[in-house]
Each structure stands twice: as C-alpha cells, then as structure tokens.
Amino acid sequence: MLFLGPPGSGKGTMAARLSALLGIPHVSTGDLFRENINKQTPLGMKVKKTLDSGGLVSDEITVEILRTRLGLNDAIRGFILDGFPRTIHQADSLSKIDNIDHAIELRCTREVLIRRLTGRRSCPVCRRIYHVDSMPSLVENICDDDGAQLYTRKDDNLESVNRRLALYEKETRPLSDWYGAKGLLRFVNGSREADVVFEEIREIVDI
Ligand code: AMP
C-alpha cells in the first residue's frame, strides 16, 4: 500500500505504525536518500543538495533506488510506501514493478503542515518522529526507544518547507486523480491526533 499527502501530513508516522502492526517494511525513499547521504555514498553525494533545498530527485534515480529496495526479501509479503510515488512518471513505473492494494491520501491544512514540519524532530537510529509540542520525547532531544540524540532535518526550515509544499501541489497532487481513477484511493483527515488517524486507517485496510 502507499501513502499520499504533503510533507508533514503524517505519512511517516502512520507508515511506521502500520509496518509494526503488519510486519511488512516501511519503505521511505526520503529515508533511503538520507541513509546514503549519511554514509557519503556516491548516490548520497549526488542527491544531497537537492534534499537540502527541498527539491525533487530525478525520477530515474528515485525509481531505481525504490526498485532495488522492493527487490529485498523482506518486501515479498508486501510493503508500505511513504513518499513514493511523487510524480505521474514514478506512479507509472511503480505499476510495472508491483501491485498496489490501497492508496491513502492524508489531507491537512497548510497551517498544521507548517507547524508540524518546523517542530519536527527525528531519531537518526530508529527513524521515530517526534514533535517539540505535540509529540515530545520523554527527555528533551533524546529518543525514548534507543537514547539517540534527535535531530532537525535540514529541509524542515520554512524556506524548504514552502518549496516542498509548492512542489507537492504541482507534481504530486495529480496522483490523487491517478489512483482515484483506479478505484484505490481513500482520503483521511490527517490534521487530527495520530491515534484517531491511525484507527481510521486500520478500518480502511481492515486490520
Ligand atoms: P521525505 O522524507 O519523503 O520528505 O523526502 C525528503 C526528500 O527526499 C524530498 O524533499 C526529495 O528531495 C527527496 N525524495 C524523497 N522521495 C522522493 C521521490 N519519490 N521523488 C523525488 N524526490 C524524493
């Protein structure tokens, strides 16, 4: 299954919860790129500037990293995509790689998105996502699960956030019609509390 929705709509949080419940991998192309950047691989060096500025990596590179990830054994029983596809070209490529059973679009007001993104903190080890006000860690800036120091993503500043939201409208919004036409799309109001959103998603996917 896959999540659509602008940055900050809760795709990562919901995908992680579903992944734990279903025992299938949470595949985030953003995380895959960040891993490569941290390890300073040739791919990481190539995409670093694009990620920092909030632009989109080319479809060619993105589809390839996704294809490789979905080829690993743990994805045989299924997977949850977060942040892919982001363009019609990517959706088209995905349809040639595997079948999708559910597409869930998380909808949020712009005000909520900006508040969430600018207060977001992430764990570099387990990828758990926190928010300084609405989902704080027990000890400030320390992950509850593994004790790692939380960090603020470089692209979670107002300038990059505005760029990412504009790109979402231009490049990714058309995917609603794409998956809607296939009868796969369901909308969920993602502005609400995480527990409430998650319950609605569970009902939709019937788990
Ligand atoms: P995310 O963690 O999903 O917010 O992604 C962080 C950044 O990674 C995005 O702003 C893009 O620069 C890049 N990225 C992630 N997924 C994609 C994708 N499907 N297509 C193009 N760029 C992507």
Side-chain angles (χ1 to χ4, degrees):
M1 63 177 287
L2 60 87
F3 281 102
L4 294 176
S9 59
K11 301 186 299 295
T13 302
M14 293 303 136
R17 285 192 182 200
L18 267 185
S19 161
L21 192 67
L22 293 170
I24 57 174
H26 164 198
V27 176
S28 151
T29 37
D31 283 344
L32 293 172
F33 287 136
R34 281 184 289 275
E35 258 172 53
N36 274 276
I37 292 172
N38 290 340
K39 290 185 189 151
Q40 300 190 340
T41 66
L43 172 75
M45 319 269 247
K46 211 176 200 175
V47 301
K48 183 177 184 322
K49 251 192 172 163
T50 307
L51 262 84
D52 286 351
S53 69
L56 285 184
V57 176
S58 73
D59 286 338
E60 199 189 347
I61 293 180
T62 309
V63 169
E64 210 35 55
I65 200 173
L66 195 267
R67 190 197 304 278
T68 305
R69 177 63 188 87
L70 295 188
L72 300 184
N73 274 343
D74 66 343
I76 286 173
R77 287 179 46 244
F79 48 81
I80 301 160
L81 296 182
D82 154 19
F84 186 98
R86 265 177 156 99
T87 64
I88 293 281
H89 180 89
Q90 292 179 14
D92 192 34
S93 302
L94 176 61
S95 69
K96 290 167 191 149
I97 298 175
D98 218 326
N99 290 326
I100 294 298
D101 300 320
H102 300 282
I104 293 183
E105 181 172 328
L106 297 172
R107 293 195 147 168
C108 272
T109 61
R110 192 180 173 86
E111 192 195 347
V112 168
L113 296 175
I114 290 182
R115 194 171 350 112
R116 279 187 187 162
L117 291 168
T118 51
R120 175 158 70 178
R121 300 289 180 272
S122 311
C123 174
V125 176
C126 69
R127 304 190 296 167
R128 184 165 164 184
I129 298 161
Y130 297 86
H131 187 278
V132 285
D133 303 320
S134 60
M135 232 193 282
S137 51
L138 294 172
V139 179
E140 200 180 331
N141 275 329
I142 300 292
C143 179
D144 297 350
D145 294 337
D146 51 38
Q149 177 92 28
L150 304 180
Y151 74 103
T152 304
R153 276 173 48 171
K154 260 204 168 147
D155 56 350
D156 279 347
N157 63 76
L158 201 54
E159 196 185 334
S160 288
V161 164
N162 279 326
R163 178 149 190 232
R164 285 153 67 205
L165 292 177
L167 268 174
Y168 184 82
E169 288 307 321
K170 183 164 174 263
E171 302 287 349
T172 314
R173 182 71 70 194
L175 292 181
S176 304
D177 289 342
W178 166 278
Y179 285 107
K182 293 183 188 302
L184 294 175
L185 185 67
R186 296 288 297 270
F187 294 104
V188 171
N189 172 1
S191 293
R192 299 165 300 168
E193 290 260 310
D195 287 347
V196 180
V197 177
F198 189 57
E199 274 317 300
E200 191 171 327
I201 292 170
R202 283 186 66 168
E203 272 173 35
I204 291 173
V205 298
D206 200 19
I207 48 159

